[in-house]
Amino acid sequence: MSLEEKLEKIRSPKLQNQRETAIVLSAVEDTLKEQRHDLTPTGYLAALLALLGQANALPNAIANQDLAVSVVYLLDLIIGNVPAALLRAKFSQILTSIAPSLTSEDATAPLLRSSIGCLESLLVVQDRAAWTLPPTQISPRRAVAGLLALASDQRPKVRKRAQDAVTHILQHPPPSPSLDHPVADMCAETAMRTLSNALTVSSASKSKSRGSTQEHNQPGLIHALHLVKAIASASGGWPSRKIEPLCEALMGVSRSNNEYLTMAAFEIFEVMFQGMADQFSSSKLPRLMEALSDLKPSQNDSQLLPPWIAVISRGYDISAQIDPKGTFHKLPELFGKVSEFLSSTSYEIRVSASECMISFLVNCIPENVIAEPSVIDEKTLEKVARSAQDLLNVRFQAAWVEVFNVEAAFFEALRWRAIPLARGIVTTIGELRTSDSFNGKKEADVVLGKAIQSMGPKAVLEILPLNLVRSQKGQPGRAWLLPLLRDNVINTNLAHFRSGLVPLSEAMYQRVIDHGESEKTMEVKIFETIVRQTWALFPGYANLPLDLIQAFDQEFAELLSNLLYSQPDLRADICRGLQTLVESNQEILAVDADENEILLRSRITKSSAQANLHHLATFAGNLLAVLFNVYSQTLPQFRGYILQCINVYLSITQEEVLLETFVRVTEMLENALIETATLSPPAQQQPKESTPNQMPPTTHTLMDLIITLSIYLPLPTFGQLFTLTSRILPLTHDPQLQKKAYKLLPRLAQSTNGSLALRNRNQALQSLLLSSAATTSAPARRDRLLALTTTIDHLANADLHFIPSILSEAVIATKEVNEKARSAAFDLLVLMGRKMKEGGTIEQSKIPHMGSGAPIVEASLEEFFTMVSAGLVGETPHMVSASITALTRILYEFHGQLTRNLIEDLVSTLTLFLSSNNREIVRSCLGFAKVIVVSLPTEMVQPKLEALVPGLLGWSKEHKSRFRAKVKHIIERMIRRFGIQEVEKWCPEDGKKLVQNIRKTKERKKRKKTEAGEDGVDADEEKKMSRKGTFESEYEEAIYGSDDEDSDVASDDDDGAPTLKRNNRKDAATTGKGTYITELPDDEPLDLLSANALSHISTSRPVQFKARRRREASVDLDGKLVFGNANGTDVDENEETAVDSREEPGDGTLEGGINAYVDAIRGRDAVQRGRGGRLNFSNKKIRGGDEMEIDDEEPAERRRERSEWGSLSRARRSEVNGSSKRVMADRGGRDQAGNGVVKKRFDPKTQRKGLGVQKVKGGRVGKVRSGRTK
């Protein structure tokens, strides 16, 4: 922003505090104009300095604070545009004028910030001669001293502004041969003095508060660290002579328990390292690293050693960027020094050391050393490998997890150069992995996996052989290596797979064959597993093999072909390997990177990848023939990977081979079609029911192959392809074949030749699609719509008559049952609209059922809407409904591009259909109403409310097809956009009740949202997350979506209480609003990372259980359970139940099961026998934990009981009485003392199923009551 633009903003202030500044600026400009001076930065500077002198007229105070703030603010804007020579010449005068604003005790923060800005602009332009003046004079050094004092001010904005000014000044030194600014030493000394004083104060406060658990703030130390960081972030960095004391002080700060201080110290080191990353300041880095090395803490200092290791790691990372070779040659020494810390007893130290060593391996080994190492480089790598192998010593056993991480990084860093160097590491880790007592097998597998990636499987298997074929004593089998090889083999030699693993597979398979047809033993199953695991390695060997041309020969291709025919279990791995052979080389050709970088990463150049593809192309013809045959012999559910492999090899097949293959497949398909046509009509019309294990017809298989072939065919073959399609489309007896024929057109659009053919033969396609419309089967409708979409996408502007020819079909398809077909129909309508929008002419005489004299019309969106609107006068309600749905979709898509008159006419017309008696039409109208309310402008919809609102409310009491819920959603949207008064104004009397309910529901939700906000729950965010991803398009969200969850409220009673529908629980579960966490005992927080955390999370509100008094079961001398005591009373008679009324008795343990059984037969809910053998139940109901007695002798109650019992048949009653007698006889209806039946309390909530409950007629559960037993 220029100076004039800044001043213009001040001249027209928008805030109250800017008006004073605008007045001052106006006065200055008026003065300059009166004196006939130009409004230049120099003129502004002179006038403002004069005004500042008036504001600072008092000797030790500011006379006019408001004037001083405004003047200095304007000076801060102006002074940066004043010529530098003038600022150098008038330095003393300007500094003297600004000084009172900086030194006065009455200076406010805004005044100080503007004054600092003026001082910064003044100091940046000073030359070297001015910086040599001592601080005792009015000089730049004296001004910097004042800035450093303000850099520790207690006010944060003032402090930040001063620190930024110091950094900016140090980043702009005067021209000189020195790296540092002339005042850098003074700034560093001041900052170090401030930091030392802050550390002293901090240490004193710690000693005073020793033993106190309270955390003390250390603002002085934090401010000092910020000042140090500001100075260190300058371009020259920290002065070289002051590096050692700074490092010592920062390491002392790192010892603090305050994480913020430790992080601030690390940030300073990071800033220093970043400042030294360029060549200009890199000469300071050796001195800094030397100072850090001298500050090495004690071996077991777990507080200071981890940060020191982290700083060292970062320092050598920068060193590797500046001097890669020199840092690499220091790597063995660094590796040895840091590795000593792995023997520490502190976990933090071991982790820091391992991360530091990993950083060394990642950052300090140059890529050219891996690509082309010199003799010295190889010796250095040998030393590093020796150090890495020494880490597997027993003395590092406690740190083997960290050691394995370092070893994995070692293999990643050295890549294939680790082959001769890391044999010892692989041997040691392999021996550890084989040991049964070793616990770190998972970590060892990671290291061995990295070794396989880097060294290759051949080198690893030479060190750790599998020993599966001829195992010898003392040599363990290593079948566990096969899964590791499967997951990590890449970019290696394919010849090793042929020479080492194929014989293993053959040997294992021979043992399976030798077993014969008898029942498989465990040993035979293991052999079969090894065969599958061996061939599972083939895709890894096929991923960028280094010797593809030599290893993939005719013999190997024949082996793969035979296995594809004879071993169905291996087809997936073989096809995936063949596919990877091609795709991995194609990826190399597609990579946009430097040739050297590609060679370093994959050891294959683009020219080698191209040669590999040419070599594979020579086998493509034979492989495709094999794959075609295997595809035809495979069940449909297992064909996917074969078709993918065929597709990949078609992409590299030569054109003459493609033509030959296409001709052969086409002839076979034509013969198959002829054979099908010779069948009798009943045989055609009644196809066999398909089963999962039934092979599809040959025509289906061949059509799949032709569809796959189509995008690779040359242009001359498309005539035969379209002819074949025209023969299949009219076939009505085979819907699946017809469906595949329609799929051909979208497939062709994916290739350049296919798109060109679709344009050239578009008229023939139009005729074919129009003629086949009547013969399209239901399963093929979606694919036909996609084919129509492809045809219209390639339609010429002169052939737009095809759009009205198929428009009715697209409109009717919007009512398809299949969701994908509906979506395809909507997309087709939108594409038609866009095509019509592009313009052109429509020859209506070419439209079917139109006369030859029909006029030619211009294509436009308005014409398209007119065409679709013609369906509104359809003969059937289905056609009218489909037309409304189609108009809704295209209106939503193009409403911003239509004229207002057209939209208003459309809305007025469709609003009339709300009065229709046909629900199908009204359902479509409701969707249209919601779209216009949501998407159209307010001023366009509001005049239509007079007719729209009554029409909608006329269906507000209709519950079928969710009409009431839909109408309510639309009314809610209207209220949200236009206000409740505007909507209620057009409501009839019988519809105002719904509007009032909406208002009450909204107020209720608002209260709940407020309460939820007070509880810390963000309802809007929760709703947003729950609705995310619900709809696939904006149109579906506009039609079916709602911002509220009021769809669950189906109706309201007269008293205004909402009646919830059945899907409330489902919605609550999906939105996560019904999720609760069960509180733990002693108010302990739930650990969400624990294994049993899920058991404390419920979708229903947790029940507060009563305290359970646990007691041991009573037994007699013989160990038998005793359910009563000596005086004949039951043990549980006067005790509370163990759980809440909603809890089932028993806790899953033996004692809990016994208690549950006793509670069932002797508890208060048990069945009792009264007079005449009748069943008696307790009739005490529990409410809120209190028992409530119900009078048994109430006449109405007794009459109901007799009627319930009398409703049972005589046989049923005798069955109930007899079964109850048996139950009571088995369970002992009397107590152990031989007394009568003991009365029990009855709780219907805890009544166990089957005890005291009988089903009556109709499946209901009835309870039989009787009088009290006396």
Side-chain angles (χ1 to χ4, degrees), residues 181 531 534 620 622 673 1008:
H181 195 282
V531 172
T534 302
N622 295 330
L673 290 174
K1008 290 182 178 180

Side-chain angles (χ1 to χ4, degrees), residues 131 362 543 668 740 934 1006 1073 1123:
W131 287 107
V362 172
N543 195 342
M668 294 173 63
K740 293 178 185 295
V934 169
K1006 188 175 182 181
K1073 295 181 180 179
F1123 301 133

Side-chain angles (χ1 to χ4, degrees), residues 430-590:
E431 293 174 354
L432 290 172
R433 175 63 175 78
T434 308
S435 175
D436 295 334
S437 60
F438 182 64
N439 296 326
K441 293 184 179 181
K442 182 179 179 181
E443 292 78 9
D445 287 346
V446 174
V447 180
L448 291 176
K450 298 297 182 183
I452 293 170
Q453 293 179 11
S454 303
M455 302 173 64
K458 181 179 180 180
V460 174
L461 291 178
E462 288 177 355
I463 303 170
L464 303 173
L466 294 173
N467 295 331
L468 297 178
V469 179
R470 298 182 182 88
S471 58
Q472 300 178 3
K473 187 177 180 180
Q475 295 184 356
R478 297 186 178 90
W480 50 268
L481 269 175
L482 291 175
L484 284 180
L485 290 168
R486 178 198 61 203
D487 296 336
N488 295 284
V489 170
I490 186 175
N491 197 206
T492 186
N493 293 315
L494 184 60
H496 177 256
F497 180 79
R498 292 187 58 186
S499 61
L501 294 172
V502 172
L504 171 64
S505 172
E506 293 173 350
M508 294 294 108
Y509 188 66
Q510 186 61 42
R511 294 183 183 182
V512 175
I513 295 176
D514 295 342
H515 184 71
E517 298 295 332
S518 58
E519 185 179 357
K520 294 181 181 179
T521 62
M522 181 60 66
E523 187 178 15
V524 173
K525 293 180 180 179
I526 292 175
F527 294 153
E528 291 179 343
T529 302
I530 293 177
V531 172
R532 288 194 294 269
Q533 288 182 337
T534 302
W535 280 99
L537 307 180
F538 179 54
Y541 278 91
N543 195 342
L544 284 178
L546 302 176
D547 57 346
L548 187 145
I549 297 178
Q550 296 78 19
F552 197 92
D553 52 12
Q554 185 65 30
E555 180 183 356
F556 188 58
E558 291 176 358
L559 172 64
L560 297 178
S561 301
N562 293 331
L563 289 174
L564 284 172
Y565 282 122
S566 60
Q567 297 291 325
D569 293 340
L570 305 180
R571 286 175 182 173
D573 292 321
I574 294 175
C575 289
R576 194 153 52 92
L578 289 172
Q579 181 180 348
T580 307
L581 282 172
V582 178
E583 289 181 343
S584 58
N585 286 280
Q586 288 178 338
E587 289 175 0
I588 293 295
L589 294 177

Side-chain angles (χ1 to χ4, degrees), residues 1111-1130:
R1111 59 178 177 82
E1112 297 294 334
S1114 301
V1115 295
D1116 58 10
L1117 296 177
D1118 297 330
K1120 297 181 180 179
L1121 292 172
V1122 177
F1123 301 133
N1125 51 24
N1127 58 9
T1129 59
D1130 189 72

Side-chain angles (χ1 to χ4, degrees), residues 1065-1132:
R1065 183 173 300 176
K1066 178 180 177 182
D1067 292 343
T1070 55
T1071 55
K1073 295 181 180 179
T1075 305
Y1076 302 90
I1077 296 179
T1078 305
E1079 295 182 358
L1080 299 180
D1082 301 330
D1083 294 334
E1084 292 184 2
L1086 175 63
D1087 183 8
L1088 296 176
L1089 298 180
S1090 65
N1092 60 349
L1094 194 59
S1095 63
H1096 297 281
I1097 299 176
S1098 172
T1099 56
S1100 60
R1101 187 178 297 277
V1103 178
Q1104 297 294 332
F1105 297 106
K1106 298 179 181 179
R1108 181 184 181 93
R1109 293 185 292 179
R1110 301 188 63 86
R1111 59 178 177 82
E1112 297 294 334
S1114 301
V1115 295
D1116 58 10
L1117 296 177
D1118 297 330
K1120 297 181 180 179
L1121 292 172
V1122 177
F1123 301 133
N1125 51 24
N1127 58 9
T1129 59
D1130 189 72
V1131 176
D1132 293 334

